[in-house]
Amino acid sequence: MVRQPNDPVKVGISDTTIMEGDPGTSKSETVTISLTSPSTQAIAVVYRIDPVDTDGQDFDCRKCGTNQKVTFNVLSTGKTALTKNIPIKVWGDSITENNEQVKVTIV
């Protein structure tokens, strides 16, 4: 597909998997928000982090449940970057749990 100069930039989000560690430890993972092409104008993307865990304590979620914004600013090249990273911290515990998830949604 050939993009025309006036086509809108599309936004995407990556998927990732991380194994929970032992009690008292933490691991970090990154979810990437990306643009299909650079823009000559700043682009703000609003996202929301919602954990879906068993005991409510597996994710470092000081900003969970509220809308957050990441901005792709125009760089010295005259265009925006293509990606922005959102860090997710996972806390380990000794509870046996099924597949826990944290959902990052573009709103």
Side-chain angles (χ1 to χ4, degrees):
M1 177 172 121
V2 177
R3 289 181 47 80
Q4 299 300 317
N6 58 353
D7 283 351
V9 174
K10 294 185 175 118
V11 178
I13 193 163
S14 68
D15 192 13
T16 188
T17 301
I18 186 171
M19 297 298 295
E20 185 177 308
D22 294 326
T25 65
S26 67
K27 294 182 178 181
S28 294
E29 188 56 69
T30 300
V31 174
T32 302
I33 294 179
S34 59
L35 304 178
T36 54
S37 63
S39 174
T40 56
Q41 297 179 352
I43 296 175
V45 177
V46 178
Y47 66 92
R48 181 182 175 102
I49 301 174
D50 291 303
V52 186
D53 62 340
T54 303
D55 61 10
Q57 300 178 16
D58 290 339
F59 300 100
D60 182 4
C61 278
R62 288 169 270 182
K63 295 180 179 179
C64 287
T66 61
N67 291 349
Q68 304 298 310
K69 180 172 71 172
V70 62
T71 303
F72 291 80
N73 289 312
V74 177
L75 305 173
S76 61
T77 60
K79 297 187 177 186
T80 62
L82 291 176
T83 61
K84 290 285 185 173
N85 293 325
I86 302 169
I88 306 285
K89 185 177 275 188
V90 179
W91 295 103
D93 61 30
S94 58
I95 299 170
T96 302
E97 302 153 319
N98 290 324
N99 188 14
E100 299 175 306
Q101 299 176 6
V102 62
K103 181 170 68 171
V104 182
T105 308
I106 297 172
V107 293

